Amino acid sequence: MDKKNNTIAIMRPRNYLAKSREMAQSMGYEVFEAPMIELTDMKDDMFDTFTEHVLSGKSDYVIFTSANGIDYTLDKVDDRNEFANALNRTKVITIGPNTKKRLEELDIGVLGIPGVYSSEGLVEYLCPDVKGKIVDTARSAYGSILLIEGLEKCGASVLETQVYTLMRPEGDKQRELIKRAATGDITIFAFTSSMMVRNFFSLAEEMGKTDDIKEVMKKSIVAAIGTPTANTIREYGVETTIKPCKYTFDEMLKTIKDEYFD
């Protein structure tokens, strides 16, 4: 990779930072890290119904859209082993390989993953088989409504429980990120969710740096995982220049490297 103009802003949650930094540095990126999303546990009114569905065998399909969703779910159940065994008696679907890997680490089998790692991909993957079925999902409070609406249009009865929520971290690192972005020190912006985009621009607005950052972004690499994230970036008047075919951070880094530095 050309060492010139390759400073990437990694804004993923704190528990992903070390692995993300190591991955980026191994590919030759200069890294500035500042989480723009913080994950917080929550338990909504539907959680007990969700667990009852799984434990009783009422669920035809159970969908997990992130490894975090799995961990926050298991942290709240009374008996993790009993719940894992119940999941193994149903059809578990994940949004992508990282989520599948986390389930397999817990000895929970996965029926399949969609070809496209997104809510739309899940709907397309499951639609032929879910008419009249009960589909349960545990995910974040900011999960895309396209998953629920899409499965219901396919004839499924869908129950959603929200097991964690997302917040904007506050601190010196976040403010330094905005300052460096506004002066052009950051040349690659890696956005992995719509919430990350909104938190980034919200802080930029509070600091009076929005216009400066938008001008910098016009001359920078702006990468987004998934169409919803790219659409959110567009809402702020910025166009995405990289959208990897596979919706993983690793694939994002490889795509940027292939298209701009090799």
Side-chain angles (χ1 to χ4, degrees), residues 217-254:
M217 283 183 157
K218 290 177 182 178
K219 300 173 285 186
S220 302
I221 299 168
V222 181
I225 289 182
T227 300
T229 306
N231 288 342
T232 303
I233 294 171
R234 189 174 295 114
E235 289 174 10
Y236 291 92
V238 177
E239 290 298 322
T240 300
T241 51
I242 287 287
K243 192 170 72 171
C245 295
K246 293 182 179 179
Y247 295 179
T248 64
F249 189 72
D250 180 47
E251 190 67 22
M252 173 187 278
L253 295 177
K254 289 177 181 176

Side-chain angles (χ1 to χ4, degrees), residues 11-241:
M11 298 171 274
R12 305 184 79 193
R14 189 168 285 104
N15 56 319
Y16 287 104
L17 281 183
K19 185 176 180 180
S20 300
R21 178 180 64 250
E22 180 181 340
M23 193 184 302
Q25 289 175 337
S26 72
M27 295 187 196
Y29 291 92
E30 295 294 326
V31 174
F32 184 83
E33 58 188 59
M36 291 306 296
I37 290 182
E38 181 177 322
L39 279 57
T40 304
D41 184 41
M42 69 173 286
K43 181 179 179 180
D44 66 9
D45 294 338
M46 301 308 297
F47 185 79
D48 290 339
T49 304
F50 168 81
T51 56
E52 187 275 328
H53 276 195
V54 175
L55 292 170
S56 68
K58 190 174 182 179
S59 305
D60 292 303
Y61 292 87
V62 177
I63 298 174
F64 290 103
T65 59
S66 71
N68 293 310
I70 299 163
D71 292 335
Y72 279 111
T73 297
L74 291 176
D75 285 345
K76 285 188 275 291
V77 300
D78 294 330
D79 188 325
R80 291 169 66 102
N81 289 331
E82 180 187 17
F83 192 79
N85 290 335
L87 285 173
N88 277 324
R89 294 192 294 269
T90 190
K91 297 173 181 176
V92 178
I93 307 295
T94 71
I95 200 167
N98 292 334
T99 314
K100 180 175 184 286
K101 180 181 177 183
R102 179 60 184 142
L103 283 164
E104 290 174 341
E105 289 172 350
L106 298 164
D107 294 321
I108 297 170
V110 176
L111 177 66
I113 61 177
V116 177
Y117 310 148
S118 67
S119 293
E120 299 96 319
L122 280 168
V123 172
E124 183 178 357
Y125 177 70
L126 286 172
C127 195
D129 303 313
V130 296
K131 185 175 182 180
K133 304 294 185 180
I134 294 175
V135 180
D136 297 325
T137 182
R139 58 185 190 153
S140 86
Y142 290 89
S144 169
I145 62 171
L146 296 175
L147 177 61
I148 309 303
E149 291 180 348
L151 291 173
E152 288 177 342
K153 287 179 181 178
C154 294
S157 174
V158 185
L159 182 143
E160 175 193 20
T161 182
Q162 299 172 352
V163 293
Y164 67 102
T165 190
L166 307 172
M167 302 176 66
R168 193 186 88 186
E170 303 282 351
D172 293 339
K173 271 286 188 181
Q174 286 73 27
R175 298 182 71 84
E176 185 180 353
L177 169 62
I178 298 302
K179 290 176 182 177
R180 293 187 63 172
T183 58
D185 288 344
I186 306 295
T187 55
I188 307 166
F189 297 85
F191 293 105
T192 61
S193 72
S194 290
M195 184 71 168
M196 181 186 292
V197 176
R198 293 191 177 98
N199 288 348
F200 176 84
F201 279 105
S202 172
L203 181 56
E205 183 176 357
E206 290 175 17
M207 294 176 62
K209 301 292 187 181
T210 304
D211 290 341
D212 292 337
I213 287 175
K214 286 182 181 181
E215 286 302 310
V216 169
M217 283 183 157
K218 290 177 182 178
K219 300 173 285 186
S220 302
I221 299 168
V222 181
I225 289 182
T227 300
T229 306
N231 288 342
T232 303
I233 294 171
R234 189 174 295 114
E235 289 174 10
Y236 291 92
V238 177
E239 290 298 322
T240 300
T241 51

